[in-house]
Amino acid sequence: MIYLLFGEMGVGKNYVGERMARQLDALFYDGDDAIPEWMWRKIRRFVPPTLGEIDRYVEENLIPTIYNKAMDNSIYDLVVAQALYRRRHRRMIVDFMKRHKRAITPV
């Protein structure tokens, strides 16, 4: 099972996610670890990424990382914390995992 914790920056996704993973005997993953360097450069300059850039990040970085972590650790559940503000980006992850037969629960 993959549990996705979505929320704004600073609301405690990692705090809750780490504790949830410990209670479930699951692995915890901070989705920010999948942010590519080109995106970090923009963030550090306080330049918000465009919707197209976020689409690219979700499709090319975040989804493959979550999927590979789930596949590599198939005996464990996976708890993922990620600050995606748009419903469409959250939906992209959920739809991909469902198409690939990975049980997923947005929390």
Side-chain angles (χ1 to χ4, degrees):
M1 174 72 70
I2 302 170
Y3 299 90
L4 297 174
L5 302 175
F6 295 118
E8 294 187 26
M9 289 173 36
V11 298
K13 293 177 303 298
N14 286 5
Y15 178 85
V16 170
E18 288 170 354
R19 275 137 195 86
M20 186 175 168
R22 225 180 350 263
Q23 283 204 313
L24 295 170
D25 194 27
L27 299 174
F28 173 75
Y29 181 69
D30 181 352
D32 286 353
D33 292 343
I35 295 176
E37 183 54 35
W38 63 264
M39 198 171 196
W40 276 121
R41 282 193 297 274
K42 289 188 83 162
I43 293 167
R44 283 192 291 271
R45 292 189 327 258
F46 301 101
V47 177
T50 66
L51 286 178
E53 290 171 332
I54 296 170
D55 287 348
R56 183 173 142 206
Y57 157 66
V58 171
E59 291 173 348
E60 295 177 8
N61 298 90
L62 187 59
I63 288 174
T65 301
I66 293 170
Y67 182 76
N68 289 335
K69 287 201 169 292
M71 294 303 290
D72 290 348
N73 300 292
S74 59
I75 61 170
Y76 294 104
D77 289 336
L78 179 64
V79 178
V80 179
Q82 180 60 48
L84 289 174
Y85 304 119
R86 302 251 177 198
R87 182 177 294 137
R88 98 175 189 208
H89 295 121
R90 296 188 299 263
R91 194 82 240 154
M92 288 165 67
I93 297 169
V94 171
D95 290 347
F96 178 91
M97 295 304 161
K98 285 182 178 178
R99 280 194 314 274
H100 290 83
K101 309 292 189 243
R102 299 300 303 172
I104 189 159
T105 301
V107 180

